[in-house]
Amino acid sequence: DGGITQSPKYLFRKEGQNVTLSCEQNLNHDAMYWYRQDPGQGLRLIYYSQIVNDFQKGDIAEGYSVSREKKESFPLTVTSAQKNPTAFYLCASMGQGDAEAFFGQGTRLTVV
Amino acid sequence: KQEVTQIPAALSVPEGENLVLNCSFTDSAIYNLQWFRQDPGKGLTSLLLIQSSQREQTSGRLNASLDKSSGRSTLYIAASQPGDSATYLCAVCSGNTGKLIFGQGTTLQVKP
């Protein structure tokens, strides 16, 4: 089945640690996106990538980093510089043509 | 900078009512507009995708319209059911940057 997979579903981080969230897609999509969602809020764009080996900052990139070494993978690292990382993180991919976006099921990150 | 606004933020209706959700955006240079549904703690499910050259799209009891010149889209839900209870989000894909920008969402409750 084609789709987009995020792992893990739940993640706990100690203060001062870096953690990496995984996002993998087998839809052969060029564009991939990372969003953060806080309770009762909409989605805010962290980073996006329209092609392998290239990515751009979104609206809230501070404290986050990404890489795009393979078309199917777009991991997000939440660094210790992110002061309030507890949130729900969503990854999306989008193909060419009609450019419909598809989302993973999300990773809930909690700082303990 | 593209800004997307959804009104109302929350809506509660009795089962069987027809209802309209509103989405507005500030920059008309969009590639497409997409409506999503989100259930609590879950990822996003695509409902309807409207290309910039289109005026509306329909799927079952859902109809989405797009007026690019005025920066508005509406999602019409006919004969609402309790299973329609969820948060509905609209997103615009920028024609210039490829960014996918979301509104804050409308949380819908349909009472039996």
Side-chain angles (χ1 to χ4, degrees):
Chain A
D1 288 338
I4 182 165
T5 302
Q6 290 186 242
S7 62
K9 188 173 182 179
Y10 299 98
L11 186 58
F12 297 90
R13 187 193 96 168
K14 292 182 180 179
E15 287 196 19
Q17 283 185 337
N18 293 352
V19 290
T20 298
L21 283 60
S22 172
C23 179
E24 303 275 334
Q25 54 99 359
N26 60 4
L27 300 167
N28 199 34
H29 285 169
D30 287 314
M32 297 186 74
Y33 302 81
W34 273 108
Y35 293 90
R36 169 182 174 137
Q37 187 176 36
D38 293 287
Q41 302 295 313
L43 277 66
R44 292 186 290 168
L45 182 63
I46 305 173
Y47 270 98
Y48 65 110
S49 168
Q50 294 184 282
I51 197 167
V52 174
N53 293 322
D54 189 37
F55 49 82
Q56 289 78 39
K57 292 182 179 180
D59 299 321
I60 56 165
E62 185 174 352
Y64 300 96
S65 66
V66 293
S67 62
R68 187 83 188 278
E69 297 177 0
K70 298 186 295 182
K71 187 176 186 177
E72 59 269 25
S73 179
F74 191 40
L76 173 73
T77 296
V78 184
T79 75
S80 57
Q82 171 50 239
K83 298 307 178 187
N84 185 23
T86 294
F88 189 49
Y89 291 86
L90 288 158
C91 179
S93 70
M94 181 189 293
Q96 299 283 350
D98 65 5
E100 184 174 9
F102 294 89
F103 277 79
Q105 288 301 301
T107 293
R108 188 166 299 280
L109 173 63
T110 303
V111 174
V112 297
Chain B
K1 179 184 175 184
Q2 178 74 271
E3 293 183 359
V4 182
T5 304
Q6 290 188 245
I7 295 173
L11 186 60
S12 181
V13 300
E15 182 177 4
E17 273 204 7
N18 302 326
L19 55 100
V20 174
L21 308 182
N22 296 291
C23 173
S24 62
F25 47 95
T26 55
D27 185 353
S28 62
I30 65 169
Y31 188 74
N32 62 35
L33 183 145
Q34 198 165 351
W35 282 93
F36 295 88
R37 169 187 172 133
Q38 185 179 30
D39 294 293
K42 303 294 185 182
L44 276 65
T45 300
S46 179
L47 296 174
L48 289 165
L49 172 71
I50 310 177
Q51 301 299 333
S52 62
S53 59
Q54 297 176 323
R55 297 284 293 183
E56 67 176 339
Q57 284 286 341
T58 299
S59 176
R61 294 182 295 107
L62 304 180
N63 175 276
S65 67
L66 174 65
D67 184 343
K68 201 171 70 164
S69 61
S70 67
R72 294 180 181 179
S73 176
T74 61
L75 178 66
Y76 175 82
I77 302 177
S80 58
Q81 303 171 357
D84 294 331
S85 297
T87 296
Y88 291 81
L89 295 132
C90 73
V92 297
C93 182
S94 170
N96 298 324
T97 64
K99 277 187 174 181
L100 187 62
I101 303 297
F102 280 81
Q104 295 294 303
T106 294
T107 299
L108 172 65
Q109 182 184 32
V110 181
K111 297 179 179 179

